[in-house]
Amino acid sequence: MVDFDVADLEERLIRVATEVCGYRKITAETPMHEIRAIAERAGVMYGRAFAAALHSGPITAELAMEIRASEQRGKERFVESASKLFGVGGELRELLTK
């Protein structure tokens, strides 16, 4: 049973994953393929931690499958966001080039 603020947990895990995986090291010169790789790592880390934190009950093969699915969702979400933010015309890309 989850008895904590899930939205707050999600926000904190996103912050931790992006910090640990190196978002702060991204510059205007960082190629997009490197940014996507950073986003993939962060998304997998986030997804794994989020699924594990929300799980209650015994550790089973079903949990492993849910963690894998959550990792994939996290990876897709982070890569999509990174593409929007750091891609051509993206808000953060524009800020980095100023």
Side-chain angles (χ1 to χ4, degrees), residues 67-97:
I67 288 173
R68 291 288 180 233
S70 186
E71 288 173 344
Q72 185 62 34
R73 287 189 302 270
K75 183 170 79 170
E76 290 169 1
R77 179 178 172 192
F78 275 60
V79 168
E80 181 181 337
S81 293
S83 294
K84 287 179 182 175
L85 293 170
F86 294 104
V88 176
E91 288 180 40
L92 292 179
R93 180 64 80 176
E94 296 296 320
L95 286 173
L96 292 173
T97 55

Side-chain angles (χ1 to χ4, degrees), residues 15-74:
R15 253 189 266 133
V16 167
T18 56
E19 186 175 317
V20 168
C21 291
Y23 272 60
R24 290 182 191 257
K25 296 176 186 175
I26 296 173
T27 67
E29 290 77 36
T30 306
M32 202 56 211
H33 72 275
E34 287 182 24
I35 294 172
R36 278 191 214 87
I38 291 168
E40 284 183 12
R41 285 191 303 273
V44 168
M45 177 186 288
Y46 159 81
R48 184 177 298 158
F50 192 65
L54 294 180
H55 178 74
S56 61
I59 306 301
T60 63
E62 185 178 323
L63 173 59
M65 291 178 1
E66 177 53 37
I67 288 173
R68 291 288 180 233
S70 186
E71 288 173 344
Q72 185 62 34
R73 287 189 302 270

